[in-house]
Amino acid sequence: MVREVRLDNDRSFDALMRLADCWQQKWDRRRHLEWNFTFAVWAVFAVAFVCASYGARLPLALPMLIFLAQAYIVTQIRLQNDRDGRVVLQLRREAEAIAHRPQTLPEQSGQQCRWRRVVSAVTHYSTVAQIAPTAFAALVLTQNLWNAGVQ
């Protein structure tokens, strides 16, 4: 049997703020993981450049596959971060309503459809800062591999 528990305002406020902090920590951990993954991808490209410069035969599609995998993963992480940000914002709004303070957080616009969230995630500055150098490295490495195969 499920029992409904009613909390007073102080306990409700504390509970909502703890939940918001928990969601914020998830967001922070995911951002840390996202950048570690991006640095690992860049390290793989550096190793591939060194290997290609010493004459190693690497698959021509390898740079593009790495780029596509990185772009997909970073975009998915950004979408999850956006969701967590909305949850944190809602929890803090509810906590402010309990505390009877005026709302200082900006109002959230209506729900966006899935493709608009994806476009927003891909064009976000932190996503672009990770994907653009990877795309450049993938193109340069592909060109180097192509030229090595032609000669």
Side-chain angles (χ1 to χ4, degrees):
M1 174 175 208
V2 177
R3 198 176 91 188
E4 185 175 325
V5 177
R6 300 217 179 247
L7 301 175
D8 61 354
N9 283 347
D10 290 339
R11 290 176 59 187
S12 295
F13 178 82
D14 289 341
L16 287 169
M17 291 307 290
R18 283 191 197 120
L19 281 172
D21 289 343
C22 178
W23 282 89
Q24 185 69 42
Q25 287 173 3
K26 281 177 56 176
W27 185 88
D28 290 338
R29 283 191 306 267
R30 198 177 296 117
R31 289 289 293 164
H32 183 71
L33 175 67
E34 173 185 9
W35 277 102
N36 285 343
F37 176 73
T38 297
F39 291 142
V41 167
W42 292 346
V44 167
F45 274 117
V47 168
F49 277 119
V50 170
C51 289
S53 68
Y54 282 108
R57 304 288 287 171
L58 299 173
L60 188 60
L62 180 69
M64 289 302 146
L65 290 175
I66 293 171
F67 164 72
L68 291 174
Q70 193 248 1
Y72 176 78
I73 290 170
V74 167
T75 301
Q76 293 302 312
I77 289 172
R78 182 76 215 155
L79 288 171
Q80 291 297 317
N81 286 344
D82 287 345
R83 186 207 63 201
D84 287 352
R86 287 191 305 271
V87 169
V88 168
L89 186 65
Q90 183 61 35
L91 289 169
R92 290 193 175 150
R93 276 195 186 125
E94 290 177 20
E96 281 188 354
I98 290 172
H100 302 293
R101 287 189 251 153
Q103 290 193 358
T104 57
L105 299 172
E107 287 299 317
Q108 183 177 349
S109 61
Q111 292 290 336
Q112 293 179 333
C113 63
R114 172 89 174 149
W115 69 270
R116 285 184 189 241
R117 287 194 305 265
V118 171
V119 169
S120 174
V122 170
T123 58
H124 191 271
Y125 69 91
S126 67
T127 306
V128 171
Q130 295 172 61
I131 292 176
T134 305
F136 179 74
L139 290 173
V140 171
L141 183 58
T142 301
Q143 180 184 13
N144 288 348
L145 292 173
W146 181 271
N147 291 340
V150 172
Q151 297 174 351

